[in-house]
Amino acid sequence: MLLRLSLALVLALAAAPAAGLAQQGPRPAAPTESVWKPAATPPGGVAWSLLESTQEITRQDAKGFIYSKPVFPPAVKALEGKRVKVSGYMMPLQNGKTQTHFVLLAYPPDCPFHLNPAPMQFIEVKTARGVTFSYDVKTVEGTLQLLGHDESGIFYRIYDAQPI
């Protein structure tokens, strides 16, 4: 009798989370369904496929630190200093609900095995006014700066950015 009661309690507790999940609406896309798709290009914007066409040259120093610098293709070089629109996934760099300095990722940060994007798959963004953090795709417009010649591993920055 005690065994049956214990088994019934375990089954009831196991079913409770599943019942709660069923009431929350459609499930989010699994990592395998979404991680390999970059954010869609906004109308009149820059595609991640273009930014990802930048080549990365890496070297390792005597202590084992890896340094990288870009080789920008002509189409990316043509964007230097121009106002561009890009959509991506926000990764906050500050505490708080609004961010004036964040990273815009090409791919959703939903896979624990792909938390470290390549330098051509993210953009450092600086804004004058705060942008509210969310997990939704964000579109920003600002001036594109090409970086990385100092081997910092940051290839792109958008400054004077504004959310769209």
Side-chain angles (χ1 to χ4, degrees):
M1 179 69 169
L2 185 56
L3 182 61
R4 284 187 195 160
L5 185 57
S6 296
L7 183 59
L9 181 59
V10 168
L11 290 174
L13 289 174
L21 288 174
Q23 296 171 1
Q24 293 179 3
R27 72 168 179 80
T32 54
E33 296 168 346
S34 64
V35 76
W36 299 115
K37 296 177 186 172
T41 305
V46 174
W48 281 105
S49 58
L50 175 60
L51 298 174
E52 288 180 302
S53 69
T54 294
Q55 298 297 307
E56 177 185 19
I57 297 174
T58 61
R59 71 175 178 88
Q60 192 169 358
D61 71 6
K63 294 181 181 179
F65 292 107
I66 298 173
Y67 295 90
S68 67
K69 64 180 180 178
V71 178
F72 297 113
V76 173
K77 284 182 183 179
L79 299 173
E80 168 77 24
K82 299 219 167 93
R83 297 234 3 126
V84 297
K85 281 193 278 189
V86 181
S87 292
Y89 299 88
M90 187 179 206
M91 183 175 77
L93 296 176
Q94 301 168 305
N95 289 326
K97 293 179 182 178
T98 60
Q99 304 286 307
T100 58
H101 186 204
F102 58 93
V103 173
L104 197 66
L105 300 165
Y107 298 88
D110 63 357
C111 179
F113 302 105
H114 297 94
L115 292 177
N116 298 311
M120 65 288 289
Q121 295 174 329
F122 69 89
I123 302 170
E124 179 186 16
V125 178
K126 294 188 176 189
T127 66
R129 63 183 170 97
V131 177
T132 303
F133 171 77
S134 78
Y135 293 102
D136 299 324
V137 171
K138 297 278 187 185
T139 301
V140 297
E141 181 176 25
T143 305
L144 182 67
Q145 185 178 20
L146 302 181
L147 307 168
H149 303 291
D150 61 356
E151 296 183 310
S152 66
I154 299 174
F155 291 1
Y156 305 115
R157 177 182 297 138
I158 292 180
Y159 60 94
D160 296 331
Q162 298 175 350
I164 296 181

Short mmCIF file of all heavy atoms in Angstrom, two decimals, residues 31-59:
data_model
loop_
_atom_site.label_atom_id
_atom_site.label_comp_id
_atom_site.label_asym_id
_atom_site.label_seq_id
_atom_site.Cartn_x
_atom_site.Cartn_y
_atom_site.Cartn_z
N PRO A 31 16.65 24.42 -30.21
CA PRO A 31 17.91 24.96 -30.73
C PRO A 31 18.24 24.46 -32.13
O PRO A 31 18.69 25.22 -32.96
CB PRO A 31 18.95 24.48 -29.71
CG PRO A 31 18.18 24.35 -28.45
CD PRO A 31 16.80 23.88 -28.88
N THR A 32 17.98 23.18 -32.40
CA THR A 32 18.31 22.65 -33.72
C THR A 32 17.43 23.25 -34.81
O THR A 32 17.78 23.21 -35.97
CB THR A 32 18.15 21.12 -33.74
OG1 THR A 32 16.83 20.79 -33.31
CG2 THR A 32 19.18 20.45 -32.86
N GLU A 33 16.28 23.84 -34.42
CA GLU A 33 15.39 24.45 -35.42
C GLU A 33 15.74 25.91 -35.66
O GLU A 33 15.41 26.47 -36.69
CB GLU A 33 13.94 24.36 -34.94
CG GLU A 33 13.43 22.94 -34.82
CD GLU A 33 12.11 22.87 -34.07
OE1 GLU A 33 11.73 23.85 -33.43
OE2 GLU A 33 11.47 21.82 -34.14
N SER A 34 16.37 26.58 -34.68
CA SER A 34 16.56 28.01 -34.82
C SER A 34 18.01 28.47 -34.81
O SER A 34 18.31 29.52 -35.34
CB SER A 34 15.83 28.73 -33.68
OG SER A 34 16.41 28.38 -32.43
N VAL A 35 18.92 27.72 -34.24
CA VAL A 35 20.26 28.22 -34.05
C VAL A 35 21.02 28.43 -35.36
O VAL A 35 21.90 29.26 -35.44
CB VAL A 35 21.06 27.33 -33.07
CG1 VAL A 35 21.51 26.05 -33.73
CG2 VAL A 35 22.22 28.08 -32.49
N TRP A 36 20.67 27.73 -36.38
CA TRP A 36 21.41 27.85 -37.63
C TRP A 36 20.81 28.86 -38.59
O TRP A 36 21.23 28.97 -39.73
CB TRP A 36 21.53 26.49 -38.30
CG TRP A 36 22.27 25.54 -37.41
CD1 TRP A 36 21.77 24.41 -36.84
CD2 TRP A 36 23.61 25.65 -36.95
NE1 TRP A 36 22.72 23.81 -36.06
CE2 TRP A 36 23.86 24.55 -36.10
CE3 TRP A 36 24.62 26.57 -37.15
CZ2 TRP A 36 25.08 24.35 -35.47
CZ3 TRP A 36 25.84 26.37 -36.52
CH2 TRP A 36 26.06 25.27 -35.70
N LYS A 37 19.81 29.61 -38.13
CA LYS A 37 19.19 30.63 -38.97
C LYS A 37 19.47 32.00 -38.39
O LYS A 37 19.05 32.30 -37.28
CB LYS A 37 17.68 30.41 -39.05
CG LYS A 37 17.30 29.11 -39.70
CD LYS A 37 15.80 28.92 -39.69
CE LYS A 37 15.46 27.54 -40.23
NZ LYS A 37 14.05 27.23 -40.06
N PRO A 38 20.18 32.85 -39.13
CA PRO A 38 20.42 34.20 -38.60
C PRO A 38 19.12 35.01 -38.62
O PRO A 38 18.17 34.66 -39.31
CB PRO A 38 21.45 34.77 -39.57
CG PRO A 38 21.24 34.03 -40.83
CD PRO A 38 20.77 32.65 -40.43
N ALA A 39 19.12 36.08 -37.87
CA ALA A 39 17.97 36.98 -37.88
C ALA A 39 17.73 37.46 -39.31
O ALA A 39 18.68 37.67 -40.08
CB ALA A 39 18.23 38.17 -36.96
N ALA A 40 16.48 37.63 -39.65
CA ALA A 40 16.12 38.06 -41.01
C ALA A 40 16.64 39.47 -41.27
O ALA A 40 16.74 40.30 -40.36
CB ALA A 40 14.60 38.02 -41.17
N THR A 41 16.95 39.73 -42.51
CA THR A 41 17.43 41.05 -42.92
C THR A 41 16.26 42.03 -42.94
O THR A 41 15.24 41.76 -43.58
CB THR A 41 18.07 40.97 -44.32
OG1 THR A 41 19.09 39.97 -44.30
CG2 THR A 41 18.65 42.31 -44.74
N PRO A 42 16.40 43.17 -42.27
CA PRO A 42 15.30 44.15 -42.32
C PRO A 42 15.23 44.80 -43.71
O PRO A 42 16.24 44.83 -44.43
CB PRO A 42 15.70 45.18 -41.26
CG PRO A 42 17.18 45.08 -41.16
CD PRO A 42 17.52 43.64 -41.47
N PRO A 43 14.08 45.32 -44.09
CA PRO A 43 13.98 46.00 -45.39
C PRO A 43 15.03 47.12 -45.50
O PRO A 43 15.15 47.95 -44.61
CB PRO A 43 12.57 46.58 -45.38
CG PRO A 43 11.81 45.73 -44.41
CD PRO A 43 12.81 45.32 -43.37
N GLY A 44 15.81 47.06 -46.57
CA GLY A 44 16.86 48.06 -46.78
C GLY A 44 18.07 47.86 -45.89
O GLY A 44 18.94 48.73 -45.82
N GLY A 45 18.13 46.73 -45.20
CA GLY A 45 19.20 46.50 -44.24
C GLY A 45 20.32 45.63 -44.76
O GLY A 45 20.33 45.22 -45.93
N VAL A 46 21.26 45.36 -43.88
CA VAL A 46 22.43 44.54 -44.20
C VAL A 46 22.17 43.10 -43.74
O VAL A 46 21.73 42.89 -42.61
CB VAL A 46 23.69 45.10 -43.50
CG1 VAL A 46 24.88 44.19 -43.71
CG2 VAL A 46 23.98 46.51 -44.01
N ALA A 47 22.45 42.15 -44.59
CA ALA A 47 22.27 40.73 -44.28
C ALA A 47 23.46 40.21 -43.50
O ALA A 47 24.61 40.60 -43.75
CB ALA A 47 22.10 39.93 -45.57
N TRP A 48 23.19 39.31 -42.56
CA TRP A 48 24.27 38.67 -41.83
C TRP A 48 25.18 37.88 -42.76
O TRP A 48 26.38 37.75 -42.50
CB TRP A 48 23.72 37.78 -40.72
CG TRP A 48 23.31 38.59 -39.52
CD1 TRP A 48 22.04 38.90 -39.14
CD2 TRP A 48 24.17 39.21 -38.57
NE1 TRP A 48 22.06 39.68 -38.01
CE2 TRP A 48 23.36 39.87 -37.63
CE3 TRP A 48 25.56 39.26 -38.42
CZ2 TRP A 48 23.90 40.58 -36.55
CZ3 TRP A 48 26.08 39.96 -37.35
CH2 TRP A 48 25.26 40.61 -36.43
N SER A 49 24.64 37.36 -43.84
CA SER A 49 25.49 36.59 -44.78
C SER A 49 26.61 37.48 -45.33
O SER A 49 27.72 36.99 -45.55
CB SER A 49 24.65 36.00 -45.90
OG SER A 49 23.97 37.02 -46.60
N LEU A 50 26.34 38.76 -45.53
CA LEU A 50 27.38 39.68 -46.00
C LEU A 50 28.43 39.88 -44.90
O LEU A 50 29.63 39.77 -45.15
CB LEU A 50 26.78 41.02 -46.42
CG LEU A 50 27.80 42.10 -46.79
CD1 LEU A 50 28.66 41.66 -47.98
CD2 LEU A 50 27.11 43.41 -47.08
N LEU A 51 27.98 40.15 -43.69
CA LEU A 51 28.92 40.37 -42.59
C LEU A 51 29.74 39.11 -42.31
O LEU A 51 30.93 39.18 -42.00
CB LEU A 51 28.17 40.82 -41.33
CG LEU A 51 27.42 42.15 -41.47
CD1 LEU A 51 26.59 42.42 -40.23
CD2 LEU A 51 28.38 43.29 -41.76
N GLU A 52 29.11 37.95 -42.45
CA GLU A 52 29.80 36.68 -42.22
C GLU A 52 30.79 36.34 -43.33
O GLU A 52 31.60 35.41 -43.16
CB GLU A 52 28.80 35.54 -42.07
CG GLU A 52 28.04 35.60 -40.77
CD GLU A 52 27.04 34.47 -40.63
OE1 GLU A 52 26.15 34.35 -41.50
OE2 GLU A 52 27.16 33.72 -39.66
N SER A 53 30.78 37.07 -44.43
CA SER A 53 31.73 36.81 -45.51
C SER A 53 33.13 37.32 -45.16
O SER A 53 34.10 37.00 -45.87
CB SER A 53 31.24 37.41 -46.82
OG SER A 53 31.27 38.83 -46.78
N THR A 54 33.27 38.08 -44.09
CA THR A 54 34.58 38.53 -43.63
C THR A 54 35.38 37.32 -43.17
O THR A 54 34.88 36.46 -42.45
CB THR A 54 34.42 39.54 -42.47
OG1 THR A 54 33.79 40.71 -42.99
CG2 THR A 54 35.76 39.92 -41.85
N GLN A 55 36.62 37.27 -43.57
CA GLN A 55 37.51 36.17 -43.17
C GLN A 55 38.22 36.55 -41.88
O GLN A 55 38.47 37.72 -41.61
CB GLN A 55 38.54 35.89 -44.26
CG GLN A 55 37.93 35.44 -45.58
CD GLN A 55 37.19 34.13 -45.44
OE1 GLN A 55 37.72 33.15 -44.95
NE2 GLN A 55 35.93 34.12 -45.86
N GLU A 56 38.56 35.54 -41.09
CA GLU A 56 39.26 35.75 -39.83
C GLU A 56 40.64 35.12 -39.89
O GLU A 56 40.78 33.95 -40.23
CB GLU A 56 38.44 35.14 -38.69
CG GLU A 56 39.10 35.24 -37.34
CD GLU A 56 38.32 34.51 -36.25
OE1 GLU A 56 37.49 33.64 -36.56
OE2 GLU A 56 38.58 34.80 -35.08
N ILE A 57 41.64 35.90 -39.54
CA ILE A 57 43.01 35.39 -39.43
C ILE A 57 43.33 35.31 -37.95
O ILE A 57 43.19 36.30 -37.23
CB ILE A 57 44.02 36.32 -40.14
CG1 ILE A 57 43.71 36.39 -41.63
CG2 ILE A 57 45.44 35.85 -39.88
CD1 ILE A 57 44.56 37.39 -42.37
N THR A 58 43.73 34.13 -37.49
CA THR A 58 44.05 33.97 -36.07
C THR A 58 45.52 33.62 -35.89
O THR A 58 46.16 33.08 -36.79
CB THR A 58 43.19 32.86 -35.43
OG1 THR A 58 43.46 31.62 -36.08
CG2 THR A 58 41.71 33.17 -35.52
N ARG A 59 45.99 33.94 -34.70
CA ARG A 59 47.34 33.54 -34.30
C ARG A 59 47.32 33.29 -32.81
O ARG A 59 46.46 33.78 -32.09
CB ARG A 59 48.38 34.60 -34.65
CG ARG A 59 48.31 35.85 -33.81
CD ARG A 59 49.45 36.84 -34.12
NE ARG A 59 49.32 38.03 -33.32
CZ ARG A 59 49.81 38.19 -32.10
NH1 ARG A 59 50.50 37.21 -31.54
NH2 ARG A 59 49.63 39.31 -31.42
#
